[in-house]
Amino acid sequence: MKIVYFHGFGSSHASGTVEILRKELPEDEIVAPDIPIDPVEALPYLQELCKQENPDLIIGTSMGGMYAQQMRDYRRILVNPAFNMSTMSKGLKTGEHKFFNGRYDGAKTFKITKDIIQHHNQMERQQFKNITAEQKETCWCLVGLRDTTVTNAEAVFKKNYLADHVIRFDGEHQLNDKVIKKVVLPLVEQLRG
């Protein structure tokens, strides 16, 4: 199976989640891009990447889950999706920030401007438009019960998708080895069939 992984805000292709997925799914191809900071660049970039890669599955965490939700022609797993980055994220604040992991281009820092926050807000207001019944069938949402970073993911997902496609797990916002093995991988295996 070909899986594309969309990382969270301030992260990269080198996140620990990518390493675990590659280790636990050695027969599968894991494609992990660095997502541009500005959604004006990020959304078209990710749409084009998915057209080129034609993945069997997209997994997105946090901000990556918000982007993954918008890749409607593919099966998707959204983990603690940050659907409202511009209003709820503690990280999306103006100023210079450090990346959590190494990026392909070697960048160590990034800037958030008022324009980037506005771009997130504009995209977020449009992100659930025109979802078809078929697209609702191909999207799942995993919600950490102890997630204090994104607190409304389940309610927003249920409003726009299928309530029975929500899986709650005992965990926080950041994924760890245990949650990936006990929650994410079983769903990947279920979707493999």
Side-chain angles (χ1 to χ4, degrees):
M1 206 162 59
K2 183 183 281 192
I3 299 170
V4 173
Y5 174 74
F6 292 172
H7 63 74
F9 179 75
S11 192
S12 75
H13 73 280
S15 78
T17 301
V18 174
E19 290 178 29
I20 295 167
L21 290 173
R22 286 185 173 143
K23 179 183 167 206
E24 295 298 322
L25 300 169
E27 302 298 315
D28 297 318
E29 181 182 355
I30 311 295
V31 177
D34 285 344
I35 299 175
I37 297 302
D38 192 330
V40 169
E41 297 170 40
L43 192 57
Y45 167 75
L46 294 172
Q47 289 167 333
E48 184 58 31
L49 175 81
C50 289
K51 282 181 191 169
Q52 289 174 6
E53 296 292 341
N54 193 26
D56 299 296
L57 178 65
I58 300 170
I59 301 172
T61 55
S62 191
M63 177 194 74
M66 178 264 303
Y67 283 124
Q69 181 277 132
Q70 297 177 73
M71 305 296 129
R72 298 211 185 103
D73 293 333
Y74 308 93
R75 288 184 299 171
R76 295 147 290 147
I77 298 174
L78 321 178
V79 184
N80 294 325
F83 295 128
N84 300 301
M85 286 283 298
S86 66
T87 56
M88 297 194 69
S89 174
K90 296 170 185 149
L92 193 64
K93 303 289 182 210
T94 57
E96 190 158 332
H97 305 269
K98 288 185 179 180
F99 284 112
F100 299 125
N101 312 96
R103 306 267 291 186
Y104 287 122
D105 64 4
K108 305 281 186 216
T109 63
F110 61 97
K111 267 194 174 158
I112 296 296
T113 63
K114 288 181 182 178
D115 285 344
I116 289 174
I117 294 171
Q118 182 61 30
H119 295 161
H120 270 279
N121 187 271
Q122 290 167 347
M123 179 193 58
E124 290 159 11
R125 289 194 312 252
Q126 305 295 318
Q127 70 178 310
F128 296 109
K129 288 193 172 186
N130 304 317
I131 301 171
T132 67
E134 182 179 90
Q135 292 164 340
K136 289 181 181 188
E137 292 285 342
T138 60
C139 193
W140 289 261
C141 184
L142 306 181
V143 179
L145 296 174
R146 293 181 281 118
D147 184 351
T148 58
T149 304
V150 175
T151 56
N152 69 339
E154 182 174 356
V156 173
F157 184 86
K158 285 181 175 179
K159 181 178 176 186
N160 295 283
Y161 282 93
L162 302 175
D164 65 348
H165 279 209
V166 173
I167 299 170
R168 295 175 175 174
F169 64 90
D170 182 25
E172 300 176 8
H173 187 69
Q174 300 283 354
L175 284 180
N176 60 36
D177 195 42
K178 179 181 172 186
V179 171
I180 292 171
K181 288 178 181 176
K182 287 190 159 208
V183 182
V184 178
L185 294 179
L187 182 55
V188 170
E189 292 307 317
Q190 177 186 326
L191 298 178
R192 189 182 298 276

